[in-house]
Amino acid sequence: MRYKINYFYLLITFTVLWILINLWYIIFNVYNLHNGEIVDTTTSLQSLLSAFYHQPFVNTVPGGSYFSVHASEILILLLPFFAVWHSFINLYIIQSVLIYSSSIPLFLLAQKKLHNDKASFLMAIVFLLNPYIHDNPFETLTLFMGFIIYSYYFFDAKRYIAFAITFLLALSTMEFNPVIGGFFGLYLILLFLYDKIKISSIQNIIKTPVQQFKMVKSHLSELKNFQSYLSIGIILLIISIGFFYGDKYLILYFSHGSHAITSNIAGSNISSFSAIVNDFKVDISSKIDNLMYLNTPFLFLSFLSPFALLELPWFLTYSISTFSPYWSVGVYYDSYIIPFAAISAILGLYKIHSMLGEIDRKKIVNRIAYLALIVTLILLVSNVIAPMVTNPVSPVNSNDYGVDQLASLIPGNAKVTTGVNELPIVSSHAYNTWFYGPENNYVLFNITNPPNLNNYGFLAASGSYALYEKGYTGKPELNNLNYSKTEGPYTPGERLSINLLSNGYIPPGNNNISLHLSYSGNDVHTINSNANSSLFLNDSYAMVYPFTLNNSEQLSNIVLDSNMVPGYYILQSMITTSFNGTQLNTSSIISTESYGQNEYNMIDENFNYKNVQLNSNKTYYLWLWSSGDPGGLTFPVENTTNSYSYVVKIYNGTGADSYGYSISKIYSSIEEKLAPRISFVFNSDKIHKASNIYVSIDGKTTELNVTGNSKYHFSTDGTGIYVNSSVLNGTLGISYTISAVNGREVINPLLQHPYIILGFIFIASIFVYPVSSFMNRNTNVLNLKLIEISLIISIIVFYSVFTLYYYRLITVDLIYFKIIGAIIAISFFLFISRFNKNK
């Protein structure tokens, strides 16, 4: 029996997987402090957290109450969910789940229209993988996308209570949304008027009463629907107007009359007609391109449906603005266009579906959906996957993880100063966190960039971060200082005069410094450097020089100090493991190297041996010879009593000569008490010619004679690590770790292995399909009424108690709100789990 795929469960599986992948990427980037100095997430995070400290949703950027700038009543409705976990992660979970789960109502909408599960699944995936959906940072505006898609689905399904709730939630995310809501109402009114005109036209065109009756009858059911559209449209229009004025006065109230709602349309002046015209002309092609780009994944099917008119409110708004982020693809403002493009694309595909015959309908619709998916995948790779690959997720090291540990020591209502990229983490613990402004109670900083610490006392350290409290004089509560860094490389010929902690700061206390010097490069051994005689060998002879190394080395080059007249030459060399003076044993040849030069007065010939391995305490034989015109090899030698070389005749005037690049025969061999001046160049991590490094800590200078990789340990309570050197003879790399004597390196095991976590995400997603199937078959055991009652009661209890707590009428531990919030979240999940069954 052939297994039938349930596309609904398959979509849920892909949706869960995509949500988790996006959360994985965002969370690791935040903990790695790759936040791009964007503060939007922090604004919402601080606003929500401040409410639990009796503050009216205040934040430090831009400052004051959130409602003094934006009318985002949705923040109040998010309180129960945020109460479960005061963290930036929680906000990203809420946003990602809402945005990407709206692929499910899109699937159900398409399923209802097309009666084609595969095409419905493909169109839902096109939305899910849309590369222009912006899920970072967290923005209340972005939530509009999810709510409006759910809202339209419920409207189309005639589930008007759910439609009303989700429509109001969509309006509550930002003060501009009532404008879109009003357009939605006008759209429904226009649909009614259009259908009424269409039926009147039929009555006028067709004179025969019977024909009129038949044609009109076919439109009666449609007209009945459109009659409800009229009343709903009028209601939506009234609600939207009321919401707009409510938002207006909400902002005026919290801003004390200093902030007008119309000023939130950045870069525009709607009070001046000439300004509107001029602003409309600014980069108009890019403004139109933005609209086109956002419809591209849906193959512009959106434009086949009049519902695409709802893309116009935002398009017209940013068309009269000079604020380019409004029309920049990939910014959260796209949330005002993408949901209408997605819904309109399904309605446009439905129009094509209705025009096709029964036989070809399914095949053609599937092909269109497949094409949309292919286009989306191409855009996804170029816009999302490629940047992820070029900027891969990395483990969170102990240097950066110290931010989270130190932030947990700060009271939730304390005033804190920290870095802009640290804001989301620190603000998860203390809402009144700044990255600029006046002195605050606490300052949390990276030791490489310390602030003015006058009047502050050392409270704690962790990783590369320190926490200071104003006026604190006690002992540190925690000292897990553990800062690591790599400097260099510094190249041969440089002189060092650096402070490894330039502009940095080491918190007071007993600290260990582990200094690792990695010294490598070309180790040059010049032998017989006092050679004061010259030896000339014509092209009939070669010199064979025996040599032995004390250490195993990797030979890079041999430099022969020669001085030859201009001419045409082929210079050759080779290394063998044996020499008998009468016959060349070709099996003993380790490597050969030769090169030619034309019309060049050659000095210091360089034979490149390409990392030939030579072992210690073993005799090798270096062969040197030449050929050419005038030929011959001239180089300095030293007359010695201990060293010797062989002068070998390799050509006797007959037969093959040495132009053949190899020696075929030895005619004679004479031992000479001569040694050539030669430089051996080795690739080495230990250089025989040392460099002198001087390390100064606490005013004490230590001289280090560095020839290779070395580790040194020091203790200090000072603030500088000074490194000076003589001229470097090799390449120097410096890495060091500063750690508290009694501290420990603090790491989060989960954040240390991002790709193991990603693997678990893929594995866990495999089980979503069968779990979804099981839950759908067994949801009858869940009493829906009981779940609804539990949800309603818990919401009433939460907001009743929270209101009394907020106005300080009662004292409640925050754990209470966590418990009630968890009950609401679980009840809400159980209610949503019956989504498909109650569709």
Side-chain angles (χ1 to χ4, degrees):
M1 181 178 178
R2 186 178 178 182
Y3 179 76
K4 184 178 180 181
I5 297 175
N6 187 306
Y7 285 101
F8 182 72
Y9 301 149
L10 188 61
L11 176 63
I12 292 175
T13 301
F14 275 100
T15 301
V16 170
L17 175 62
W18 193 241
I19 289 172
L20 293 176
I21 289 175
N22 280 276
L23 287 173
W24 169 82
Y25 188 76
I26 292 171
I27 291 169
F28 271 95
N29 274 310
V30 172
Y31 274 114
N32 275 310
L33 308 181
H34 299 160
N35 298 318
E37 299 188 352
I38 296 174
V39 299
D40 299 64
T41 298
T42 301
T43 300
S44 299
L45 178 62
Q46 292 179 348
S47 301
L48 284 164
L49 184 57
S50 72
F52 290 92
Y53 291 91
H54 315 283
Q55 299 299 316
F57 294 85
V58 298
N59 56 76
T60 61
V61 184
S65 173
Y66 194 99
F67 301 133
S68 66
V69 179
H70 294 299
S72 297
E73 299 88 351
I74 190 66
L75 289 176
I76 300 173
L77 302 177
L78 292 179
L79 283 173
F81 301 96
F82 183 75
V84 178
W85 189 12
H86 296 169
S87 172
F88 70 91
I89 298 176
N90 196 358
L91 291 186
Y92 282 119
I93 291 173
I94 292 169
Q95 179 169 269
S96 295
V97 169
L98 178 60
I99 293 173
Y100 295 118
S101 69
S102 53
S103 63
I104 296 173
L106 285 175
F107 169 83
L108 296 174
L109 176 67
Q111 188 184 50
K112 176 185 176 182
K113 300 293 183 182
L114 305 176
H115 304 289
N116 183 335
D117 284 1
K118 180 183 287 187
S120 302
F121 169 78
L122 294 173
M123 293 303 294
I125 292 294
V126 166
F127 169 80
L128 184 67
L129 301 182
N130 191 315
Y132 303 134
I133 293 177
H134 201 71
D135 57 1
N136 186 25
F138 175 88
E139 274 287 346
T140 55
L141 183 156
T142 308
L143 302 180
F144 172 81
M145 183 189 307
F147 284 131
I148 202 66
I149 290 175
Y150 275 98
S151 178
Y152 184 84
Y153 165 73
F154 289 129
F155 167 76
D156 186 79
K158 297 183 175 58
R159 296 170 62 180
Y160 293 122
I161 294 178
F163 163 64
I165 293 172
T166 50
F167 180 77
L168 292 174
L169 289 173
L171 297 188
S172 71
T173 61
M174 192 59 62
E175 64 276 359
F176 178 78
N177 300 356
V179 175
I180 299 177
F183 263 78
F184 195 178
L186 288 174
Y187 165 76
L188 295 180
I189 294 171
L190 291 174
L191 279 184
F192 167 78
L193 295 176
Y194 171 77
D195 199 67
K196 189 172 183 180
I197 293 172
K198 184 167 64 174
I199 292 178
S200 299
S201 300
I202 293 172
Q203 291 175 327
N204 293 331
I205 294 173
I206 302 175
K207 303 301 182 181
T208 306
V210 176
Q211 290 179 323
Q212 285 185 4
F213 174 76
K214 289 180 180 180
M215 294 295 295
V216 172
K217 184 179 179 181
S218 66
H219 286 77
L220 285 178
S221 59
E222 187 176 354
L223 178 61
K224 187 176 180 181
N225 288 334
F226 286 127
Q227 283 177 334
S228 65
Y229 284 9
L230 176 63
S231 56
I232 293 173
I234 293 173
I235 293 172
L236 295 186
L237 188 58
I238 293 172
I239 290 175
S240 297
I241 294 172
F243 228 102
F244 179 82
Y245 277 96
D247 288 348
K248 172 185 175 181
Y249 291 113
L250 178 70
I251 293 173
L252 288 174
Y253 174 81
F254 279 97
S255 68
H256 306 289
S258 64
H259 193 93
I261 191 171
T262 52
S263 66
N264 284 345
I265 304 176
S268 64
N269 180 9
I270 60 175
S271 63
S272 169
F273 179 76
S274 61
I276 291 175
V277 173
N278 291 332
D279 293 343
F280 180 82
K281 296 177 182 177
V282 174
D283 206 7
I284 186 61
S285 61
S286 295
K287 294 173 180 177
I288 296 173
D289 287 345
N290 174 261
L291 188 67
M292 296 298 104
Y293 288 142
L294 298 182
N295 283 275
T296 300
F298 306 104
L299 302 182
F300 306 104
L301 293 168
S302 319
F303 299 145
L304 296 177
S305 168
F307 192 72
L309 291 171
L310 269 72
E311 298 181 34
L312 287 179
W314 181 242
F315 172 75
L316 295 175
T317 300
Y318 72 63
S319 293
I320 60 172
S321 171
T322 59
F323 185 58
S324 61
Y326 281 166
W327 62 84
S328 298
V329 173
V331 182
Y332 46 79
Y333 298 110
D334 296 342
S335 301
Y336 283 144
I337 290 181
I338 291 176
F340 302 114
I343 295 170
S344 301
I346 291 173
L347 298 179
L349 188 59
Y350 169 62
K351 181 168 287 188
I352 295 175
H353 169 274
S354 303
M355 296 167 60
L356 297 172
E358 191 71 31
I359 297 176
D360 298 329
R361 178 179 294 168
K362 187 173 183 179
K363 182 187 296 183
I364 293 175
V365 167
N366 282 346
R367 287 178 177 176
I368 294 173
Y370 271 121
L371 181 59
L373 180 59
I374 291 170
V375 171
T376 300
L377 290 175
I378 293 172
L379 294 172
L380 182 72
V381 169
S382 59
N383 290 275
V384 178
I385 305 300
M388 283 185 174
V389 173
T390 55
N391 299 287
V393 168
S394 58
V396 180
N397 59 46
S398 60
N399 281 9
D400 295 336
Y401 188 66
V403 175
D404 193 64
Q405 188 179 37
L406 295 180
S408 65
L409 302 176
I410 303 173
N413 59 351
K415 294 183 71 175
V416 187
T417 300
T418 193
V420 62
N421 286 322
E422 290 82 357
L423 277 176
I425 300 173
V426 181
S427 296
S428 296
H429 299 275
Y431 72 87
N432 203 352
T433 300
W434 302 64
F435 71 93
Y436 70 98
E439 287 189 353
N440 292 316
N441 303 108
Y442 294 85
V443 56
L444 195 160
F445 62 94
N446 192 298
I447 65 171
T448 62
N449 187 28
N452 185 347
L453 295 174
N454 291 337
N455 303 319
Y456 283 86
F458 175 44
L459 181 64
S462 182
S464 62
Y465 283 83
L467 176 65
Y468 276 63
E469 183 180 0
K470 200 169 190 177
Y472 185 77
T473 57
K475 293 183 178 180
E477 293 185 12
L478 176 74
N479 193 350
N480 285 328
L481 178 69
N482 193 285
Y483 171 67
S484 299
K485 193 177 181 183
T486 299
E487 302 279 2
Y490 303 100
T491 55
E494 287 191 69
R495 290 179 183 267
L496 300 186
S497 181
I498 58 175
N499 179 5
L500 295 181
L501 275 177
S502 178
N503 300 319
Y505 177 81
I506 304 177
N510 295 323
N511 299 304
N512 290 325
I513 298 177
S514 177
L515 184 64
H516 181 203
L517 303 179
S518 176
Y519 197 59
S520 62
N522 291 329
D523 184 16
V524 181
H525 291 258
T526 301
I527 58 174
N528 307 315
S529 58
N530 296 321
N532 52 16
S533 301
S534 293
L535 175 67
F536 172 76
L537 294 177
N538 65 36
D539 53 13
S540 296
Y541 291 90
M543 169 173 274
V544 181
Y545 174 68
F547 67 93
T548 304
L549 301 177
N550 294 326
N551 299 297
S552 295
E553 302 281 4
Q554 197 174 61
L555 180 63
S556 173
N557 299 81
I558 293 178
V559 180
L560 177 63
D561 185 6
S562 65
N563 187 2
M564 301 166 64
V565 298
Y568 301 87
Y569 294 92
I570 296 174
L571 276 76
Q572 296 169 251
S573 70
M574 69 179 174
I575 297 175
T576 63
T577 57
S578 66
F579 174 75
N580 61 22
T582 58
Q583 182 66 40
L584 174 64
N585 183 0
T586 56
S587 64
S588 71
I589 299 174
I590 294 179
S591 182
T592 62
E593 174 64 19
S594 63
Y595 65 90
Q597 293 285 5
N598 294 332
E599 296 183 349
Y600 181 66
N601 186 14
M602 294 179 289
I603 300 175
D604 294 345
E605 281 64 51
N606 193 331
F607 297 98
N608 182 3
Y609 271 86
K610 302 176 183 177
N611 304 326
V612 172
Q613 183 65 41
L614 301 178
N615 298 323
S616 62
N617 301 317
K618 184 173 181 178
T619 301
Y620 295 93
Y621 298 87
L622 173 64
W623 297 60
L624 300 167
W625 73 99
S626 72
S627 59
D629 182 17
L633 187 60
T634 302
F635 52 89
V637 293
E638 182 179 0
N639 295 298
T640 67
T641 56
N642 298 324
S643 301
Y644 61 92
S645 301
Y646 299 98
V647 176
V648 179
K649 189 171 185 179
I650 56 175
Y651 176 61
N652 67 352
T654 62
D657 60 22
S658 55
Y659 276 77
Y661 286 88
S662 63
I663 299 172
S664 59
K665 187 175 181 180
I666 296 176
Y667 297 95
S668 65
S669 173
I670 302 173
E671 182 178 323
E672 299 280 357
K673 293 295 184 178
L674 298 173
R677 185 164 69 208
I678 296 175
S679 294
F680 290 90
V681 182
F682 300 107
N683 287 331
S684 177
D685 61 358
K686 188 171 183 66
I687 301 178
H688 79 286
K689 190 174 182 181
S691 289
N692 294 322
I693 309 294
Y694 304 92
V695 179
S696 298
I697 298 174
D698 299 342
K700 299 176 182 178
T701 300
T702 304
E703 181 178 354
L704 308 176
N705 197 261
V706 181
T707 60
N709 292 335
S710 309
K711 290 186 178 180
Y712 306 93
H713 297 278
F714 306 91
S715 295
T716 182
D717 57 3
T719 60
I721 307 173
Y722 299 91
V723 177
N724 298 283
S725 76
S726 58
V727 174
L728 295 178
N729 296 308
T731 299
L732 178 67
I734 302 175
S735 60
Y736 60 96
T737 299
I738 305 171
S739 58
V741 170
N742 296 317
R744 62 184 180 89
E745 185 178 11
V746 179
I747 58 175
N748 185 323
L750 293 177
L751 297 177
Q752 282 289 295
H753 305 286
Y755 292 97
I756 292 178
I757 299 298
L758 184 61
F760 277 118
I761 287 173
F762 277 96
I763 293 171
S765 299
I766 295 173
F767 297 97
V768 173
Y769 187 103
V771 169
S772 300
S773 177
F774 173 81
M775 290 185 65
N776 190 60
R777 290 196 306 269
N778 294 275
T779 48
N780 290 328
V781 301
L782 298 175
N783 190 313
L784 187 59
K785 285 294 182 184
L786 186 62
I787 295 173
E788 289 177 349
I789 293 172
S790 172
L791 181 60
I792 293 170
I793 291 176
S794 56
I795 290 175
I796 292 173
V797 170
F798 179 91
Y799 283 104
S800 299
V801 175
F802 183 83
T803 301
L804 296 173
Y805 165 80
Y806 179 84
Y807 289 105
R808 302 179 188 273
L809 299 176
I810 61 173
T811 301
V812 179
D813 194 294
L814 294 183
I815 190 66
Y816 168 82
F817 295 113
K818 290 182 181 291
I819 295 171
I820 300 300
I823 294 172
I824 292 174
I826 293 171
S827 300
F828 185 74
F829 171 76
L830 293 175
F831 181 79
I832 293 298
S833 67
R834 296 177 62 90
F835 184 81
N836 185 36
K837 184 157 284 193
N838 293 278
K839 68 180 186 287

